[in-house]
Amino acid sequence: MQFPIQFICASHDYADYGHPVPAPYLRRSFRLDKAPSGAEVLVTGLGFYRIFVNGREITKGILAPYISAPDDIVYYDRYDLSGLLTAGENVIGLILGNGMQNCFGGYVWDFDKARWRGAPMAALRLTASDPDFTLETDTSFKTHPSPILFDDLRSGEYYDARLEIPGWCAPGFDDSGWADALPATPPRGELRLCEAEPIVTSRELKAVSITPYRDGYLYDFGVNTAGRIRLRVTGAPGQEIDTSHCEWYHDGILDQSNINFGVRGDPRAVHVQCNRYICRGGGEEVYAPCFAYYGFRYVCVRGITAEQATPDLLTYEVMHSDLKERGGFSCSDETANLLQLFTRRSTLANFYYFPTDCPHREKNGWTGDAALSAEHTLLNLSPETSYREWLRNIRAAQAPCGSIPGIVPTGGWGFEWGNGPAWDCVLTYLPYFTWRYRGDLEIVKENATAIFRYLHYLTTRMDSRDLLAIGLGDWCPPGRNADNYKPPLAFTDSVISIDIARKAAQMFGAIGMDMQREFAEKLACRLRTAVRRRLVDFSTMTAAGACQTSQAMAIFYDIFENGEKPAAFARLLELIEDRDGHFDTGILGARVIFHVLSAFDRADLAYEMITRPDYPSYGHWITRGATCLWEDFHPIGGQVNSMDHHFFGDISSWFIQSVGGIVLNPEGGDCTHLNIAPHFIAKLDHAEAFHLAPAGRIESGWRRDGGEILLTVSVPEEMHGSILAPKGWLLPQGLGVLPLASGEYRLTPSRA
């Protein structure tokens, strides 16, 4: 079925901060001789839409259909209308929001300069059978301003309930006073059915405390996450209720300075995660914004009376893409359990069709954040369908030269700053880890050409030493001062490029692209040779920068030969000891250092570095009252940035693999290959992990029993591999390795 190309709008006037334009209603009445046996509607709205049939809303969720650059891809949704249409008059109605079509709240990232910017528009095609009937958008649709006076994805929404029009999308309504819709210039992007999971409400929260705050009331919901507030109030006609959403409350101050969209003092910054509701009066009213969402723990409510400041006034609808649980971890240490919970919470709070960097300030699809989180997200959740959809947008955003912007979608921002190999690797990592953990080669085939183009691009950016230094480096080290960026950019960019090329070669080989595989292998070899020649001191087995990140990356990504790694690892331990047992890495080092420690039988040290309560550590976040992962490791009193980020979340992958022992597809290419290889952390009495692999549910758990360990394993029969005893322990019969099989295994300390 061909989707219609006729788009309509209410006007060609579009909103800005100083020029609000109400979200438009669109409606169309039509008649049927009898109720059809079947019917469906295809619909898109740029930026967002809500759809109603005979007075009933059928929208799949907020922010429908998707968040994309309309110059690249224009998404539409399909709805089954069976049972919704009747004989006689029927009505289809839409409300349109600005979304990415007019994302003026994204001016920091130049969305306000996007060439597609314009008034919201829509297109739909309704078809029915028996009787045969087709309805498409045209100027016979009627339009009128809705009560939504202002809406912006980042800034919020203003709603005047006095302007509601009862029955506007139901049969029998007189729309003769409404204006005709106008034809709109169709967007340039490819029309595509949205296959990504919709955004849903996963749970609801009530405030854990309500306290007077300045000229209003402060609602504390106990956790920092993402979603929206549902207001339920019986108010006076014209009563204005303002809600301001925030994640940081300190020293008696509700502080939004860490989510300002621009330069402090800019008057546009007052529109930060705010709602305004003007009461209709005359009874109970319920309102929730539909074209914006927020990252927050606290809400300041102004314009209410003391009697209205009750727990029932506000309900926190926690929202995210409808991803299902696929894995988990728990143990005897509450600190680790909280960090696992925080990782899950931040990953979901930052998944609105695709991974975002933070749900309060940017809401941008930062490529590096998603790449760093791909493995732990796939081990915990089911993101692969949404990954495939977002990768289509990444490919569409790829420049002719092969480069990738730092954010997707983008209106052009992110090519000059904010990208580079450590961010661009998303194009390779998402297909690679999805293939590794789900056995999906389709995602590899879809992205292979774009990956090859990117590899060619890297060859055009190599310097005379065959090294790369073109992007962001080891972002967010402790303290986040410029002087703390210890690994040379030439080292991190070149090493990540080696990994990109290796993973690309493996994927090319899996789909029979042998010439491309050979190219990727040669590129990886060329880069590795240059790194070893230029950026490694073999007299001390120290990688350039003499820091934890460089040393851990050089070991993890096999810059060192196997015979060199023991000495290189000893040097890494020295660097950790120099920091009194703390890690001193940004996001690139944190992604690998704990896995390196486990590989060299120092999982206890990794666990201590993660969970210790002092700065810098993940445990220090808990000490400071965090309820999710933060963007930075700062000492008390240091600058506060985002308090809801996911790119430091690979600790969950480490918990599942190194402590729980579930190591799926360790060599790549066969997701029925599984090793059970736990490390028995000295501080733990027990630990358990699970993962739902394509072949079935995997469970691995261990507990101390006197001086021995009881390991319990449950695996699908289709899987093969090994059960591996960690250093210092023996499996039954005094063995270090047994064939993979479900059962209970008693491990004893070795005498060696």
Side-chain angles (χ1 to χ4, degrees):
M1 184 179 296
Q2 185 178 1
F3 189 72
I5 59 173
Q6 175 63 67
F7 281 75
I8 59 173
C9 60
S11 77
H12 298 296
D13 189 22
Y14 57 87
D16 207 334
Y17 281 118
H19 179 61
V21 176
Y25 283 143
L26 291 167
R27 78 182 303 272
R28 176 68 154 79
S29 173
F30 58 95
R31 301 191 68 84
L32 296 172
D33 293 336
K34 64 176 182 176
S37 60
E40 70 171 19
V41 64
L42 309 179
V43 59
T44 184
L46 295 176
F48 303 133
Y49 72 83
R50 295 171 66 187
I51 183 169
F52 302 78
V53 176
N54 290 336
R56 173 182 170 183
E57 182 167 12
I58 61 171
T59 319
K60 67 180 182 181
I62 69 165
L63 314 184
Y66 194 76
I67 302 172
S68 65
D71 270 8
D72 294 336
I73 303 178
V74 177
Y75 284 95
Y76 65 91
D77 293 314
R78 175 184 287 115
Y79 295 93
D80 183 359
L81 302 185
S82 298
L84 297 180
L85 301 181
T86 64
E89 185 186 11
N90 292 269
V91 175
I92 191 158
L94 298 170
I95 309 176
L96 302 183
N98 283 304
M100 291 299 295
Q101 177 70 12
N102 180 29
C103 194
F104 52 92
Y107 67 91
V108 175
W109 307 279
D110 292 346
F111 287 117
D112 61 322
K113 300 180 180 69
R115 70 170 185 163
W116 65 71
R117 189 177 175 197
M121 64 177 78
L124 67 80
R125 184 171 193 246
L126 184 154
T127 57
S129 57
D130 189 26
D132 291 335
F133 177 81
T134 299
L135 173 69
E136 296 186 358
T137 41
D138 58 22
T139 56
S140 66
F141 274 68
K142 297 292 187 177
T143 183
H144 192 280
S146 79
I148 302 173
L149 303 181
F150 172 98
D151 71 275
D152 177 76
L153 177 63
R154 293 173 177 83
S155 296
E157 191 172 298
Y158 295 175
Y159 188 95
D160 189 342
R162 298 171 301 178
L163 302 178
E164 290 177 345
I165 304 176
W168 72 272
C169 58
F173 179 80
D174 180 8
D175 62 11
S176 59
W178 287 29
D180 293 334
L182 302 176
T185 301
R188 286 173 283 267
E190 170 200 359
L191 280 167
R192 177 172 179 81
L193 178 67
C194 183
E195 297 178 9
E197 289 87 352
I199 297 165
V200 298
T201 298
S202 61
R203 60 183 177 134
E204 296 185 348
L205 303 175
K206 288 294 187 180
V208 298
S209 68
I210 305 170
T211 56
Y213 178 77
R214 297 186 177 179
D215 57 345
Y217 292 86
L218 182 64
Y219 279 63
D220 177 3
F221 290 90
V223 296
N224 189 20
T225 182
R228 66 181 181 182
I229 284 296
R230 186 174 70 243
L231 171 71
R232 185 180 297 272
V233 66
T234 300
Q239 180 182 356
E240 292 189 8
I241 301 174
D242 292 336
T243 56
S244 181
H245 305 69
C246 187
E247 61 170 0
W248 190 24
Y249 179 74
H250 64 97
D251 302 320
I253 300 171
L254 190 66
D255 194 336
Q256 287 187 314
S257 63
N258 69 320
I259 56 174
N260 193 331
F261 299 144
V263 179
R264 287 175 173 80
D266 189 312
R268 291 177 289 187
V270 301
H271 299 271
V272 178
Q273 295 208 122
C274 297
N275 289 331
R276 172 169 296 165
Y277 181 79
I278 303 176
C279 294
R280 177 181 62 252
E284 184 177 80
E285 303 172 45
V286 179
Y287 160 76
C290 53
F291 297 135
Y293 75 98
Y294 315 91
F296 65 100
R297 170 176 172 173
Y298 305 96
V299 176
C300 180
V301 189
R302 294 180 173 88
I304 61 171
T305 66
E307 292 74 22
Q308 290 172 325
T310 67
D312 290 335
L313 180 76
L314 300 181
T315 300
Y316 194 153
E317 296 183 15
V318 177
M319 309 181 88
H320 49 75
S321 286
D322 191 16
L323 307 185
K324 306 305 181 184
E325 182 180 65
R326 184 174 282 151
F329 170 84
S330 63
C331 67
S332 56
D333 181 5
E334 187 60 19
T335 296
N337 291 339
L338 284 173
L339 292 174
Q340 167 68 16
L341 172 64
F342 291 1
T343 301
R344 178 75 60 84
R345 182 175 290 152
S346 287
T347 302
L348 287 172
N350 282 286
F351 215 112
Y352 277 65
Y353 293 127
F354 47 80
T356 64
D357 64 324
C358 52
H360 42 74
R361 181 179 67 230
E362 295 197 29
K363 300 178 173 69
N364 279 325
W366 276 96
T367 54
D369 300 43
L372 288 158
S373 294
E375 189 167 14
H376 85 248
T377 303
L378 280 155
L379 285 170
N380 279 277
L381 299 164
S382 61
E384 59 271 15
T385 300
S386 287
Y387 278 171
R388 288 181 70 178
E389 203 66 79
W390 190 45
L391 279 162
R392 293 184 179 101
N393 291 265
I394 294 173
R395 297 195 302 271
Q398 188 174 22
C401 67
S403 66
I404 304 293
I407 60 171
V408 176
T410 179
W413 189 94
F415 285 99
E416 301 300 323
W417 185 91
N419 57 351
W423 269 246
D424 307 340
C425 65
V426 70
L427 179 61
T428 304
Y429 282 17
L430 293 192
Y432 173 80
F433 284 113
T434 301
W435 169 52
R436 176 176 171 182
Y437 288 119
R438 305 311 300 169
D440 179 9
L441 277 176
E442 288 304 310
I443 194 172
V444 173
K445 294 175 183 176
E446 290 169 357
N447 292 281
T449 299
I451 293 170
F452 187 71
R453 287 177 59 206
Y454 183 76
L455 293 181
H456 176 265
Y457 163 73
L458 289 180
T459 67
T460 70
R461 299 302 304 273
M462 295 164 68
D463 63 21
S464 60
R465 303 171 299 165
D466 278 355
L467 298 173
L468 288 149
I470 59 176
L472 297 181
D474 194 28
W475 197 247
C476 296
R480 200 173 179 174
N481 297 318
D483 293 341
N484 287 355
Y485 287 74
K486 298 177 180 178
L489 182 60
F491 181 86
T492 55
D493 267 3
S494 298
V495 171
I496 292 296
S497 296
I498 293 168
D499 191 51
I500 291 171
R502 286 172 174 163
K503 285 180 167 58
Q506 194 173 1
M507 289 189 287
F508 291 153
I511 59 175
M513 296 176 63
D514 292 334
M515 294 179 65
Q516 292 83 352
R517 173 186 54 77
E518 182 178 355
F519 177 88
E521 289 173 345
K522 287 181 177 179
L523 176 59
C525 182
R526 179 180 171 186
L527 285 166
R528 182 174 183 266
T529 298
V531 171
R532 284 176 60 84
R533 178 181 298 141
R534 309 284 188 180
L535 300 176
V536 178
D537 180 354
F538 289 101
S539 67
T540 60
M541 289 298 170
T542 304
C547 61
Q548 292 180 21
T549 288
S550 295
Q551 201 70 11
M553 288 180 68
I555 296 170
F556 186 85
Y557 294 114
D558 294 321
I559 303 304
F560 289 111
E561 300 284 355
N562 287 337
E564 299 164 345
K565 286 184 178 180
F569 182 73
R571 182 72 179 106
L572 175 61
L573 291 180
E574 291 176 1
L575 294 168
I576 294 172
E577 290 167 4
D578 289 344
R579 297 293 295 165
D580 192 29
H582 294 86
F583 63 81
D584 185 21
T585 73
I587 54 175
L588 304 184
R591 174 64 179 82
V592 301
I593 191 170
F594 307 121
H595 296 285
V596 170
L597 289 168
S598 295
F600 283 84
D601 300 308
R602 294 301 303 270
D604 280 297
L605 175 58
Y607 189 85
E608 174 66 16
M609 292 167 72
I610 292 168
T611 59
R612 61 187 301 163
D614 57 337
Y615 167 82
S617 71
Y618 291 80
H620 187 242
W621 287 342
I622 297 175
T623 301
R624 296 182 62 182
T627 61
C628 52
L629 303 184
W630 290 1
E631 182 179 8
D632 300 279
F633 296 94
H634 283 307
I636 295 175
Q639 176 187 355
V640 172
N641 292 299
S642 168
M643 292 178 162
D644 194 351
H645 252 61
H646 60 99
F647 61 17
F648 276 115
D650 189 70
I651 53 170
S652 176
S653 162
W654 185 83
F655 287 150
I656 291 170
Q657 296 186 82
S658 289
V659 184
I662 297 176
V663 184
L664 182 61
N665 198 0
E667 298 175 2
D670 180 4
C671 64
T672 66
H673 184 189
L674 169 70
N675 287 341
I676 300 295
H679 291 83
F680 306 139
I681 304 300
K683 287 190 173 182
L684 300 182
D685 294 324
H686 62 83
E688 301 83 32
F690 78 92
H691 178 70
L692 300 177
R697 184 180 179 94
I698 304 164
E699 296 179 353
S700 174
W702 57 267
R703 62 179 175 84
R704 299 189 184 277
D705 186 11
E708 299 177 335
I709 295 286
L710 187 63
L711 173 67
T712 304
V713 175
S714 177
V715 296
E717 292 183 0
E718 295 86 348
M719 304 199 79
H720 64 95
S722 303
I723 299 174
L724 307 174
K727 183 178 180 180
W729 294 89
L730 293 173
L731 286 157
Q733 293 87 48
L735 299 174
V737 182
L738 286 173
L740 181 69
S742 299
E744 287 190 347
Y745 302 86
R746 186 170 294 275
L747 286 84
T748 56
S750 66
R751 296 181 180 179

